[in-house]
Amino acid sequence: QVELVESGGGSVQAGGSLKLSCVASGPIPSSCGMAWYRQTPGKENLVASISSNGVTTYRDSVKGRFTISQDNAKNTLYLQMHNLEQQDTALYRCAPDPATYSTYPCRMSLGQGTRVTVSS
């Protein structure tokens, strides 16, 4: 089973940038879309996703600021975040996208996430 490990979080001031990485222990099956989610107390929201054919989607609040990408040669998913806002503060985790999360090839061992803290 593929294991996912996130990194790249940190503390930044509002307006700053961070690039998150999610490294898979092996090739991500081609049928799996991937996504970044973020957790705050009591909530988990889908931030961005990239489908198995490369189509990207974003939640409205991050459009134009965040970019999701995937490097299959490195088994790595990225989330480039610019112009960070305090409301972006959360624990960020990567996982298969909602469309493929429960399908057999896309069952993965999820990581602990990486924390992003944005201060004013």
Side-chain angles (χ1 to χ4, degrees):
Q1 192 174 36
V2 172
E3 297 181 356
L4 303 174
V5 178
E6 303 94 340
S7 64
S11 297
V12 296
Q13 290 192 319
S17 298
L18 285 172
K19 186 173 185 178
L20 307 184
S21 298
C22 170
V23 179
S25 59
I28 295 172
S30 59
S31 61
C32 303
M34 294 296 294
W36 285 96
Y37 302 82
R38 63 189 182 190
Q39 294 178 343
T40 55
K43 279 197 308 185
E44 180 175 80
N45 291 317
L46 176 66
V47 176
S49 65
I50 183 166
S51 71
S52 57
N53 57 2
V55 176
T56 57
T57 59
Y58 300 90
R59 68 182 295 108
D60 286 347
S61 63
V62 308
K63 284 180 182 176
R65 301 189 297 120
F66 291 11
T67 302
I68 188 171
S69 62
Q70 187 168 346
D71 185 337
N72 292 327
K74 296 182 178 180
N75 299 332
T76 302
L77 181 74
Y78 300 102
L79 186 68
Q80 177 69 62
M81 306 185 294
H82 293 298
N83 196 20
L84 283 160
E85 302 171 354
Q86 279 190 280
Q87 52 262 41
D88 296 319
T89 295
L91 179 69
Y92 285 72
R93 302 180 71 187
C94 64
D97 72 4
T100 59
Y101 191 93
S102 61
T103 62
Y104 172 72
C106 305
R107 291 178 187 170
M108 301 178 190
S109 178
L110 304 185
Q112 297 298 308
T114 187
R115 187 163 298 280
V116 172
T117 302
V118 185
S119 58
S120 60

PDB file of all heavy atoms in Angstrom, residues 62-101:
ATOM      1  N   VAL A  62      -9.371  29.768  -2.383  1.00  0.00           N
ATOM      2  CA  VAL A  62      -7.941  29.681  -2.709  1.00  0.00           C
ATOM      3  C   VAL A  62      -7.672  29.873  -4.196  1.00  0.00           C
ATOM      4  O   VAL A  62      -6.506  29.884  -4.609  1.00  0.00           O
ATOM      5  CB  VAL A  62      -7.331  28.343  -2.228  1.00  0.00           C
ATOM      6  CG1 VAL A  62      -7.627  28.101  -0.765  1.00  0.00           C
ATOM      7  CG2 VAL A  62      -7.769  27.175  -3.085  1.00  0.00           C
ATOM      8  N   LYS A  63      -8.705  30.010  -4.983  1.00  0.00           N
ATOM      9  CA  LYS A  63      -8.514  30.193  -6.425  1.00  0.00           C
ATOM     10  C   LYS A  63      -7.650  31.420  -6.697  1.00  0.00           C
ATOM     11  O   LYS A  63      -7.857  32.485  -6.105  1.00  0.00           O
ATOM     12  CB  LYS A  63      -9.864  30.344  -7.114  1.00  0.00           C
ATOM     13  CG  LYS A  63     -10.613  29.040  -7.282  1.00  0.00           C
ATOM     14  CD  LYS A  63     -11.956  29.252  -7.978  1.00  0.00           C
ATOM     15  CE  LYS A  63     -12.714  27.958  -8.106  1.00  0.00           C
ATOM     16  NZ  LYS A  63     -14.058  28.157  -8.700  1.00  0.00           N
ATOM     17  N   GLY A  64      -6.705  31.249  -7.585  1.00  0.00           N
ATOM     18  CA  GLY A  64      -5.809  32.344  -7.926  1.00  0.00           C
ATOM     19  C   GLY A  64      -4.629  32.482  -6.981  1.00  0.00           C
ATOM     20  O   GLY A  64      -3.698  33.238  -7.262  1.00  0.00           O
ATOM     21  N   ARG A  65      -4.650  31.774  -5.862  1.00  0.00           N
ATOM     22  CA  ARG A  65      -3.552  31.849  -4.891  1.00  0.00           C
ATOM     23  C   ARG A  65      -2.810  30.514  -4.761  1.00  0.00           C
ATOM     24  O   ARG A  65      -1.610  30.504  -4.512  1.00  0.00           O
ATOM     25  CB  ARG A  65      -4.091  32.256  -3.508  1.00  0.00           C
ATOM     26  CG  ARG A  65      -4.796  33.595  -3.507  1.00  0.00           C
ATOM     27  CD  ARG A  65      -5.129  34.053  -2.079  1.00  0.00           C
ATOM     28  NE  ARG A  65      -6.051  33.159  -1.394  1.00  0.00           N
ATOM     29  CZ  ARG A  65      -5.764  32.513  -0.263  1.00  0.00           C
ATOM     30  NH1 ARG A  65      -4.588  32.649   0.313  1.00  0.00           N
ATOM     31  NH2 ARG A  65      -6.684  31.735   0.306  1.00  0.00           N
ATOM     32  N   PHE A  66      -3.514  29.417  -4.887  1.00  0.00           N
ATOM     33  CA  PHE A  66      -2.927  28.091  -4.723  1.00  0.00           C
ATOM     34  C   PHE A  66      -2.865  27.380  -6.066  1.00  0.00           C
ATOM     35  O   PHE A  66      -3.755  27.551  -6.917  1.00  0.00           O
ATOM     36  CB  PHE A  66      -3.771  27.235  -3.774  1.00  0.00           C
ATOM     37  CG  PHE A  66      -3.753  27.658  -2.331  1.00  0.00           C
ATOM     38  CD1 PHE A  66      -3.218  28.867  -1.918  1.00  0.00           C
ATOM     39  CD2 PHE A  66      -4.275  26.818  -1.365  1.00  0.00           C
ATOM     40  CE1 PHE A  66      -3.214  29.240  -0.584  1.00  0.00           C
ATOM     41  CE2 PHE A  66      -4.283  27.166  -0.027  1.00  0.00           C
ATOM     42  CZ  PHE A  66      -3.758  28.378   0.357  1.00  0.00           C
ATOM     43  N   THR A  67      -1.832  26.550  -6.231  1.00  0.00           N
ATOM     44  CA  THR A  67      -1.706  25.732  -7.423  1.00  0.00           C
ATOM     45  C   THR A  67      -1.332  24.309  -7.020  1.00  0.00           C
ATOM     46  O   THR A  67      -0.332  24.106  -6.323  1.00  0.00           O
ATOM     47  CB  THR A  67      -0.635  26.284  -8.374  1.00  0.00           C
ATOM     48  OG1 THR A  67      -0.957  27.638  -8.730  1.00  0.00           O
ATOM     49  CG2 THR A  67      -0.559  25.443  -9.639  1.00  0.00           C
ATOM     50  N   ILE A  68      -2.125  23.357  -7.466  1.00  0.00           N
ATOM     51  CA  ILE A  68      -1.827  21.949  -7.216  1.00  0.00           C
ATOM     52  C   ILE A  68      -1.138  21.375  -8.454  1.00  0.00           C
ATOM     53  O   ILE A  68      -1.492  21.713  -9.590  1.00  0.00           O
ATOM     54  CB  ILE A  68      -3.105  21.154  -6.873  1.00  0.00           C
ATOM     55  CG1 ILE A  68      -2.758  19.732  -6.424  1.00  0.00           C
ATOM     56  CG2 ILE A  68      -4.089  21.159  -8.032  1.00  0.00           C
ATOM     57  CD1 ILE A  68      -3.955  18.967  -5.865  1.00  0.00           C
ATOM     58  N   SER A  69      -0.139  20.535  -8.209  1.00  0.00           N
ATOM     59  CA  SER A  69       0.552  19.901  -9.324  1.00  0.00           C
ATOM     60  C   SER A  69       1.078  18.546  -8.870  1.00  0.00           C
ATOM     61  O   SER A  69       1.124  18.259  -7.672  1.00  0.00           O
ATOM     62  CB  SER A  69       1.695  20.777  -9.840  1.00  0.00           C
ATOM     63  OG  SER A  69       2.666  20.984  -8.831  1.00  0.00           O
ATOM     64  N   GLN A  70       1.473  17.760  -9.837  1.00  0.00           N
ATOM     65  CA  GLN A  70       1.912  16.397  -9.535  1.00  0.00           C
ATOM     66  C   GLN A  70       3.087  16.054 -10.435  1.00  0.00           C
ATOM     67  O   GLN A  70       3.054  16.326 -11.639  1.00  0.00           O
ATOM     68  CB  GLN A  70       0.746  15.421  -9.770  1.00  0.00           C
ATOM     69  CG  GLN A  70       0.991  13.995  -9.344  1.00  0.00           C
ATOM     70  CD  GLN A  70      -0.300  13.183  -9.345  1.00  0.00           C
ATOM     71  OE1 GLN A  70      -1.402  13.718  -9.419  1.00  0.00           O
ATOM     72  NE2 GLN A  70      -0.181  11.880  -9.261  1.00  0.00           N
ATOM     73  N   ASP A  71       4.122  15.495  -9.853  1.00  0.00           N
ATOM     74  CA  ASP A  71       5.292  15.034 -10.602  1.00  0.00           C
ATOM     75  C   ASP A  71       5.336  13.521 -10.462  1.00  0.00           C
ATOM     76  O   ASP A  71       5.794  12.992  -9.442  1.00  0.00           O
ATOM     77  CB  ASP A  71       6.563  15.688 -10.062  1.00  0.00           C
ATOM     78  CG  ASP A  71       7.797  15.353 -10.883  1.00  0.00           C
ATOM     79  OD1 ASP A  71       7.779  14.316 -11.580  1.00  0.00           O
ATOM     80  OD2 ASP A  71       8.772  16.108 -10.816  1.00  0.00           O
ATOM     81  N   ASN A  72       4.865  12.825 -11.476  1.00  0.00           N
ATOM     82  CA  ASN A  72       4.782  11.366 -11.380  1.00  0.00           C
ATOM     83  C   ASN A  72       6.161  10.710 -11.344  1.00  0.00           C
ATOM     84  O   ASN A  72       6.334   9.648 -10.759  1.00  0.00           O
ATOM     85  CB  ASN A  72       3.961  10.812 -12.535  1.00  0.00           C
ATOM     86  CG  ASN A  72       2.491  11.196 -12.421  1.00  0.00           C
ATOM     87  OD1 ASN A  72       1.961  11.315 -11.326  1.00  0.00           O
ATOM     88  ND2 ASN A  72       1.847  11.398 -13.555  1.00  0.00           N
ATOM     89  N   ALA A  73       7.144  11.354 -11.947  1.00  0.00           N
ATOM     90  CA  ALA A  73       8.499  10.793 -11.932  1.00  0.00           C
ATOM     91  C   ALA A  73       9.072  10.774 -10.513  1.00  0.00           C
ATOM     92  O   ALA A  73       9.917   9.942 -10.184  1.00  0.00           O
ATOM     93  CB  ALA A  73       9.407  11.595 -12.855  1.00  0.00           C
ATOM     94  N   LYS A  74       8.594  11.716  -9.677  1.00  0.00           N
ATOM     95  CA  LYS A  74       9.065  11.803  -8.303  1.00  0.00           C
ATOM     96  C   LYS A  74       8.031  11.296  -7.302  1.00  0.00           C
ATOM     97  O   LYS A  74       8.234  11.406  -6.085  1.00  0.00           O
ATOM     98  CB  LYS A  74       9.425  13.255  -7.957  1.00  0.00           C
ATOM     99  CG  LYS A  74      10.576  13.802  -8.776  1.00  0.00           C
ATOM    100  CD  LYS A  74      10.913  15.230  -8.364  1.00  0.00           C
ATOM    101  CE  LYS A  74      12.090  15.774  -9.147  1.00  0.00           C
ATOM    102  NZ  LYS A  74      12.436  17.162  -8.766  1.00  0.00           N
ATOM    103  N   ASN A  75       6.927  10.768  -7.819  1.00  0.00           N
ATOM    104  CA  ASN A  75       5.842  10.283  -6.939  1.00  0.00           C
ATOM    105  C   ASN A  75       5.434  11.351  -5.933  1.00  0.00           C
ATOM    106  O   ASN A  75       5.216  11.068  -4.744  1.00  0.00           O
ATOM    107  CB  ASN A  75       6.276   9.011  -6.188  1.00  0.00           C
ATOM    108  CG  ASN A  75       6.612   7.865  -7.103  1.00  0.00           C
ATOM    109  OD1 ASN A  75       6.081   7.766  -8.217  1.00  0.00           O
ATOM    110  ND2 ASN A  75       7.502   6.998  -6.665  1.00  0.00           N
ATOM    111  N   THR A  76       5.332  12.585  -6.382  1.00  0.00           N
ATOM    112  CA  THR A  76       5.124  13.700  -5.471  1.00  0.00           C
ATOM    113  C   THR A  76       3.982  14.599  -5.937  1.00  0.00           C
ATOM    114  O   THR A  76       3.877  14.914  -7.120  1.00  0.00           O
ATOM    115  CB  THR A  76       6.406  14.530  -5.313  1.00  0.00           C
ATOM    116  OG1 THR A  76       7.460  13.684  -4.833  1.00  0.00           O
ATOM    117  CG2 THR A  76       6.210  15.665  -4.311  1.00  0.00           C
ATOM    118  N   LEU A  77       3.174  14.991  -4.980  1.00  0.00           N
ATOM    119  CA  LEU A  77       2.095  15.957  -5.173  1.00  0.00           C
ATOM    120  C   LEU A  77       2.519  17.248  -4.485  1.00  0.00           C
ATOM    121  O   LEU A  77       3.103  17.209  -3.396  1.00  0.00           O
ATOM    122  CB  LEU A  77       0.812  15.423  -4.552  1.00  0.00           C
ATOM    123  CG  LEU A  77      -0.440  16.273  -4.656  1.00  0.00           C
ATOM    124  CD1 LEU A  77      -1.000  16.220  -6.082  1.00  0.00           C
ATOM    125  CD2 LEU A  77      -1.495  15.783  -3.662  1.00  0.00           C
ATOM    126  N   TYR A  78       2.218  18.366  -5.111  1.00  0.00           N
ATOM    127  CA  TYR A  78       2.600  19.662  -4.550  1.00  0.00           C
ATOM    128  C   TYR A  78       1.383  20.560  -4.366  1.00  0.00           C
ATOM    129  O   TYR A  78       0.367  20.415  -5.046  1.00  0.00           O
ATOM    130  CB  TYR A  78       3.580  20.385  -5.487  1.00  0.00           C
ATOM    131  CG  TYR A  78       4.862  19.649  -5.744  1.00  0.00           C
ATOM    132  CD1 TYR A  78       5.052  18.962  -6.935  1.00  0.00           C
ATOM    133  CD2 TYR A  78       5.893  19.670  -4.817  1.00  0.00           C
ATOM    134  CE1 TYR A  78       6.241  18.291  -7.189  1.00  0.00           C
ATOM    135  CE2 TYR A  78       7.082  19.000  -5.061  1.00  0.00           C
ATOM    136  CZ  TYR A  78       7.246  18.309  -6.247  1.00  0.00           C
ATOM    137  OH  TYR A  78       8.425  17.647  -6.495  1.00  0.00           O
ATOM    138  N   LEU A  79       1.540  21.512  -3.469  1.00  0.00           N
ATOM    139  CA  LEU A  79       0.581  22.603  -3.352  1.00  0.00           C
ATOM    140  C   LEU A  79       1.374  23.879  -3.143  1.00  0.00           C
ATOM    141  O   LEU A  79       1.950  24.105  -2.076  1.00  0.00           O
ATOM    142  CB  LEU A  79      -0.390  22.390  -2.195  1.00  0.00           C
ATOM    143  CG  LEU A  79      -1.506  23.430  -2.103  1.00  0.00           C
ATOM    144  CD1 LEU A  79      -2.463  23.285  -3.298  1.00  0.00           C
ATOM    145  CD2 LEU A  79      -2.281  23.283  -0.793  1.00  0.00           C
ATOM    146  N   GLN A  80       1.430  24.682  -4.181  1.00  0.00           N
ATOM    147  CA  GLN A  80       2.087  25.990  -4.091  1.00  0.00           C
ATOM    148  C   GLN A  80       1.062  26.989  -3.593  1.00  0.00           C
ATOM    149  O   GLN A  80      -0.006  27.131  -4.199  1.00  0.00           O
ATOM    150  CB  GLN A  80       2.621  26.409  -5.454  1.00  0.00           C
ATOM    151  CG  GLN A  80       3.259  27.794  -5.459  1.00  0.00           C
ATOM    152  CD  GLN A  80       4.560  27.838  -4.688  1.00  0.00           C
ATOM    153  OE1 GLN A  80       5.517  27.162  -5.033  1.00  0.00           O
ATOM    154  NE2 GLN A  80       4.615  28.674  -3.650  1.00  0.00           N
ATOM    155  N   MET A  81       1.411  27.672  -2.521  1.00  0.00           N
ATOM    156  CA  MET A  81       0.476  28.611  -1.907  1.00  0.00           C
ATOM    157  C   MET A  81       1.104  29.998  -1.871  1.00  0.00           C
ATOM    158  O   MET A  81       2.194  30.179  -1.336  1.00  0.00           O
ATOM    159  CB  MET A  81       0.131  28.160  -0.483  1.00  0.00           C
ATOM    160  CG  MET A  81      -0.387  26.739  -0.409  1.00  0.00           C
ATOM    161  SD  MET A  81      -0.923  26.264   1.247  1.00  0.00           S
ATOM    162  CE  MET A  81       0.637  26.307   2.111  1.00  0.00           C
ATOM    163  N   HIS A  82       0.427  30.946  -2.456  1.00  0.00           N
ATOM    164  CA  HIS A  82       0.868  32.346  -2.459  1.00  0.00           C
ATOM    165  C   HIS A  82      -0.171  33.202  -1.754  1.00  0.00           C
ATOM    166  O   HIS A  82      -1.329  32.824  -1.590  1.00  0.00           O
ATOM    167  CB  HIS A  82       1.065  32.854  -3.889  1.00  0.00           C
ATOM    168  CG  HIS A  82       2.185  32.202  -4.630  1.00  0.00           C
ATOM    169  ND1 HIS A  82       3.494  32.285  -4.229  1.00  0.00           N
ATOM    170  CD2 HIS A  82       2.175  31.477  -5.778  1.00  0.00           C
ATOM    171  CE1 HIS A  82       4.258  31.643  -5.085  1.00  0.00           C
ATOM    172  NE2 HIS A  82       3.489  31.129  -6.033  1.00  0.00           N
ATOM    173  N   ASN A  83       0.283  34.416  -1.362  1.00  0.00           N
ATOM    174  CA  ASN A  83      -0.626  35.393  -0.748  1.00  0.00           C
ATOM    175  C   ASN A  83      -1.458  34.751   0.362  1.00  0.00           C
ATOM    176  O   ASN A  83      -2.687  34.887   0.399  1.00  0.00           O
ATOM    177  CB  ASN A  83      -1.528  35.998  -1.818  1.00  0.00           C
ATOM    178  CG  ASN A  83      -2.216  37.261  -1.351  1.00  0.00           C
ATOM    179  OD1 ASN A  83      -1.788  37.903  -0.406  1.00  0.00           O
ATOM    180  ND2 ASN A  83      -3.314  37.599  -2.016  1.00  0.00           N
ATOM    181  N   LEU A  84      -0.763  34.081   1.261  1.00  0.00           N
ATOM    182  CA  LEU A  84      -1.451  33.361   2.321  1.00  0.00           C
ATOM    183  C   LEU A  84      -2.211  34.308   3.236  1.00  0.00           C
ATOM    184  O   LEU A  84      -1.775  35.438   3.498  1.00  0.00           O
ATOM    185  CB  LEU A  84      -0.444  32.526   3.111  1.00  0.00           C
ATOM    186  CG  LEU A  84      -0.008  31.241   2.409  1.00  0.00           C
ATOM    187  CD1 LEU A  84       1.310  30.724   2.961  1.00  0.00           C
ATOM    188  CD2 LEU A  84      -1.095  30.184   2.529  1.00  0.00           C
ATOM    189  N   GLU A  85      -3.332  33.815   3.716  1.00  0.00           N
ATOM    190  CA  GLU A  85      -4.211  34.583   4.603  1.00  0.00           C
ATOM    191  C   GLU A  85      -4.353  33.824   5.924  1.00  0.00           C
ATOM    192  O   GLU A  85      -4.135  32.615   5.985  1.00  0.00           O
ATOM    193  CB  GLU A  85      -5.579  34.750   3.950  1.00  0.00           C
ATOM    194  CG  GLU A  85      -5.530  35.431   2.594  1.00  0.00           C
ATOM    195  CD  GLU A  85      -6.864  35.387   1.852  1.00  0.00           C
ATOM    196  OE1 GLU A  85      -7.800  34.727   2.350  1.00  0.00           O
ATOM    197  OE2 GLU A  85      -6.961  36.022   0.787  1.00  0.00           O
ATOM    198  N   GLN A  86      -4.730  34.545   6.957  1.00  0.00           N
ATOM    199  CA  GLN A  86      -4.866  33.905   8.272  1.00  0.00           C
ATOM    200  C   GLN A  86      -5.829  32.724   8.220  1.00  0.00           C
ATOM    201  O   GLN A  86      -5.616  31.710   8.909  1.00  0.00           O
ATOM    202  CB  GLN A  86      -5.340  34.933   9.304  1.00  0.00           C
ATOM    203  CG  GLN A  86      -4.231  35.815   9.841  1.00  0.00           C
ATOM    204  CD  GLN A  86      -4.678  36.648  11.023  1.00  0.00           C
ATOM    205  OE1 GLN A  86      -5.320  37.686  10.853  1.00  0.00           O
ATOM    206  NE2 GLN A  86      -4.361  36.200  12.206  1.00  0.00           N
ATOM    207  N   GLN A  87      -6.874  32.826   7.405  1.00  0.00           N
ATOM    208  CA  GLN A  87      -7.848  31.727   7.341  1.00  0.00           C
ATOM    209  C   GLN A  87      -7.307  30.492   6.641  1.00  0.00           C
ATOM    210  O   GLN A  87      -7.973  29.463   6.586  1.00  0.00           O
ATOM    211  CB  GLN A  87      -9.151  32.184   6.669  1.00  0.00           C
ATOM    212  CG  GLN A  87      -8.956  32.855   5.340  1.00  0.00           C
ATOM    213  CD  GLN A  87      -8.971  34.376   5.496  1.00  0.00           C
ATOM    214  OE1 GLN A  87      -8.408  34.922   6.434  1.00  0.00           O
ATOM    215  NE2 GLN A  87      -9.619  35.048   4.545  1.00  0.00           N
ATOM    216  N   ASP A  88      -6.083  30.577   6.106  1.00  0.00           N
ATOM    217  CA  ASP A  88      -5.452  29.397   5.524  1.00  0.00           C
ATOM    218  C   ASP A  88      -4.768  28.555   6.590  1.00  0.00           C
ATOM    219  O   ASP A  88      -4.290  27.454   6.306  1.00  0.00           O
ATOM    220  CB  ASP A  88      -4.416  29.804   4.472  1.00  0.00           C
ATOM    221  CG  ASP A  88      -5.035  30.520   3.280  1.00  0.00           C
ATOM    222  OD1 ASP A  88      -6.114  30.094   2.836  1.00  0.00           O
ATOM    223  OD2 ASP A  88      -4.422  31.494   2.801  1.00  0.00           O
ATOM    224  N   THR A  89      -4.696  29.064   7.805  1.00  0.00           N
ATOM    225  CA  THR A  89      -4.082  28.321   8.898  1.00  0.00           C
ATOM    226  C   THR A  89      -4.824  27.011   9.117  1.00  0.00           C
ATOM    227  O   THR A  89      -6.040  26.992   9.305  1.00  0.00           O
ATOM    228  CB  THR A  89      -4.102  29.166  10.184  1.00  0.00           C
ATOM    229  OG1 THR A  89      -3.271  30.322   9.999  1.00  0.00           O
ATOM    230  CG2 THR A  89      -3.605  28.372  11.371  1.00  0.00           C
ATOM    231  N   ALA A  90      -4.079  25.903   9.056  1.00  0.00           N
ATOM    232  CA  ALA A  90      -4.700  24.577   9.171  1.00  0.00           C
ATOM    233  C   ALA A  90      -3.624  23.506   9.115  1.00  0.00           C
ATOM    234  O   ALA A  90      -2.451  23.786   8.830  1.00  0.00           O
ATOM    235  CB  ALA A  90      -5.705  24.352   8.048  1.00  0.00           C
ATOM    236  N   LEU A  91      -4.055  22.280   9.370  1.00  0.00           N
ATOM    237  CA  LEU A  91      -3.222  21.104   9.112  1.00  0.00           C
ATOM    238  C   LEU A  91      -3.566  20.628   7.699  1.00  0.00           C
ATOM    239  O   LEU A  91      -4.726  20.318   7.412  1.00  0.00           O
ATOM    240  CB  LEU A  91      -3.517  20.008  10.132  1.00  0.00           C
ATOM    241  CG  LEU A  91      -2.718  18.717   9.961  1.00  0.00           C
ATOM    242  CD1 LEU A  91      -1.247  18.958  10.285  1.00  0.00           C
ATOM    243  CD2 LEU A  91      -3.293  17.617  10.836  1.00  0.00           C
ATOM    244  N   TYR A  92      -2.590  20.573   6.850  1.00  0.00           N
ATOM    245  CA  TYR A  92      -2.805  20.197   5.451  1.00  0.00           C
ATOM    246  C   TYR A  92      -2.390  18.736   5.255  1.00  0.00           C
ATOM    247  O   TYR A  92      -1.304  18.320   5.668  1.00  0.00           O
ATOM    248  CB  TYR A  92      -1.999  21.095   4.523  1.00  0.00           C
ATOM    249  CG  TYR A  92      -2.596  22.470   4.377  1.00  0.00           C
ATOM    250  CD1 TYR A  92      -2.538  23.395   5.415  1.00  0.00           C
ATOM    251  CD2 TYR A  92      -3.242  22.848   3.201  1.00  0.00           C
ATOM    252  CE1 TYR A  92      -3.097  24.655   5.291  1.00  0.00           C
ATOM    253  CE2 TYR A  92      -3.804  24.112   3.071  1.00  0.00           C
ATOM    254  CZ  TYR A  92      -3.725  25.007   4.121  1.00  0.00           C
ATOM    255  OH  TYR A  92      -4.295  26.250   3.996  1.00  0.00           O
ATOM    256  N   ARG A  93      -3.283  18.006   4.600  1.00  0.00           N
ATOM    257  CA  ARG A  93      -3.020  16.598   4.345  1.00  0.00           C
ATOM    258  C   ARG A  93      -3.308  16.285   2.875  1.00  0.00           C
ATOM    259  O   ARG A  93      -4.182  16.886   2.262  1.00  0.00           O
ATOM    260  CB  ARG A  93      -3.901  15.721   5.230  1.00  0.00           C
ATOM    261  CG  ARG A  93      -3.709  15.983   6.713  1.00  0.00           C
ATOM    262  CD  ARG A  93      -4.600  15.093   7.535  1.00  0.00           C
ATOM    263  NE  ARG A  93      -4.161  13.704   7.497  1.00  0.00           N
ATOM    264  CZ  ARG A  93      -4.832  12.695   8.028  1.00  0.00           C
ATOM    265  NH1 ARG A  93      -5.984  12.923   8.613  1.00  0.00           N
ATOM    266  NH2 ARG A  93      -4.355  11.465   7.987  1.00  0.00           N
ATOM    267  N   CYS A  94      -2.569  15.331   2.342  1.00  0.00           N
ATOM    268  CA  CYS A  94      -2.853  14.882   0.985  1.00  0.00           C
ATOM    269  C   CYS A  94      -3.508  13.505   1.054  1.00  0.00           C
ATOM    270  O   CYS A  94      -3.290  12.737   1.991  1.00  0.00           O
ATOM    271  CB  CYS A  94      -1.586  14.844   0.135  1.00  0.00           C
ATOM    272  SG  CYS A  94      -0.360  13.652   0.688  1.00  0.00           S
ATOM    273  N   ALA A  95      -4.277  13.216   0.066  1.00  0.00           N
ATOM    274  CA  ALA A  95      -5.000  11.945   0.000  1.00  0.00           C
ATOM    275  C   ALA A  95      -5.606  11.821  -1.386  1.00  0.00           C
ATOM    276  O   ALA A  95      -5.654  12.806  -2.139  1.00  0.00           O
ATOM    277  CB  ALA A  95      -6.089  11.904   1.071  1.00  0.00           C
ATOM    278  N   PRO A  96      -6.082  10.655  -1.748  1.00  0.00           N
ATOM    279  CA  PRO A  96      -6.812  10.535  -3.008  1.00  0.00           C
ATOM    280  C   PRO A  96      -8.009  11.485  -3.025  1.00  0.00           C
ATOM    281  O   PRO A  96      -8.564  11.832  -1.980  1.00  0.00           O
ATOM    282  CB  PRO A  96      -7.261   9.076  -3.014  1.00  0.00           C
ATOM    283  CG  PRO A  96      -6.215   8.379  -2.207  1.00  0.00           C
ATOM    284  CD  PRO A  96      -5.862   9.357  -1.113  1.00  0.00           C
ATOM    285  N   ASP A  97      -8.387  11.910  -4.199  1.00  0.00           N
ATOM    286  CA  ASP A  97      -9.509  12.853  -4.306  1.00  0.00           C
ATOM    287  C   ASP A  97     -10.822  12.153  -3.979  1.00  0.00           C
ATOM    288  O   ASP A  97     -10.892  10.924  -3.943  1.00  0.00           O
ATOM    289  CB  ASP A  97      -9.515  13.547  -5.673  1.00  0.00           C
ATOM    290  CG  ASP A  97      -9.927  12.629  -6.819  1.00  0.00           C
ATOM    291  OD1 ASP A  97     -10.293  11.459  -6.600  1.00  0.00           O
ATOM    292  OD2 ASP A  97      -9.877  13.111  -7.972  1.00  0.00           O
ATOM    293  N   PRO A  98     -11.865  12.923  -3.732  1.00  0.00           N
ATOM    294  CA  PRO A  98     -13.133  12.307  -3.311  1.00  0.00           C
ATOM    295  C   PRO A  98     -13.676  11.296  -4.320  1.00  0.00           C
ATOM    296  O   PRO A  98     -14.340  10.333  -3.933  1.00  0.00           O
ATOM    297  CB  PRO A  98     -14.073  13.509  -3.181  1.00  0.00           C
ATOM    298  CG  PRO A  98     -13.170  14.643  -2.847  1.00  0.00           C
ATOM    299  CD  PRO A  98     -11.923  14.382  -3.641  1.00  0.00           C
ATOM    300  N   ALA A  99     -13.397  11.483  -5.584  1.00  0.00           N
ATOM    301  CA  ALA A  99     -13.955  10.591  -6.598  1.00  0.00           C
ATOM    302  C   ALA A  99     -13.315   9.211  -6.580  1.00  0.00           C
ATOM    303  O   ALA A  99     -13.927   8.228  -6.983  1.00  0.00           O
ATOM    304  CB  ALA A  99     -13.790  11.222  -7.980  1.00  0.00           C
ATOM    305  N   THR A 100     -12.071   9.149  -6.124  1.00  0.00           N
ATOM    306  CA  THR A 100     -11.364   7.863  -6.187  1.00  0.00           C
ATOM    307  C   THR A 100     -10.935   7.353  -4.824  1.00  0.00           C
ATOM    308  O   THR A 100     -10.346   6.283  -4.729  1.00  0.00           O
ATOM    309  CB  THR A 100     -10.128   7.977  -7.093  1.00  0.00           C
ATOM    310  OG1 THR A 100      -9.245   8.999  -6.584  1.00  0.00           O
ATOM    311  CG2 THR A 100     -10.524   8.330  -8.510  1.00  0.00           C
ATOM    312  N   TYR A 101     -11.259   8.104  -3.784  1.00  0.00           N
ATOM    313  CA  TYR A 101     -10.759   7.797  -2.431  1.00  0.00           C
ATOM    314  C   TYR A 101     -11.078   6.369  -2.009  1.00  0.00           C
ATOM    315  O   TYR A 101     -10.260   5.688  -1.406  1.00  0.00           O
ATOM    316  CB  TYR A 101     -11.373   8.785  -1.436  1.00  0.00           C
ATOM    317  CG  TYR A 101     -10.762   8.752  -0.070  1.00  0.00           C
ATOM    318  CD1 TYR A 101      -9.718   9.616   0.247  1.00  0.00           C
ATOM    319  CD2 TYR A 101     -11.222   7.880   0.920  1.00  0.00           C
ATOM    320  CE1 TYR A 101      -9.132   9.598   1.501  1.00  0.00           C
ATOM    321  CE2 TYR A 101     -10.646   7.855   2.167  1.00  0.00           C
ATOM    322  CZ  TYR A 101      -9.615   8.726   2.460  1.00  0.00           C
ATOM    323  OH  TYR A 101      -9.042   8.708   3.699  1.00  0.00           O
TER     324      TYR A 101
END
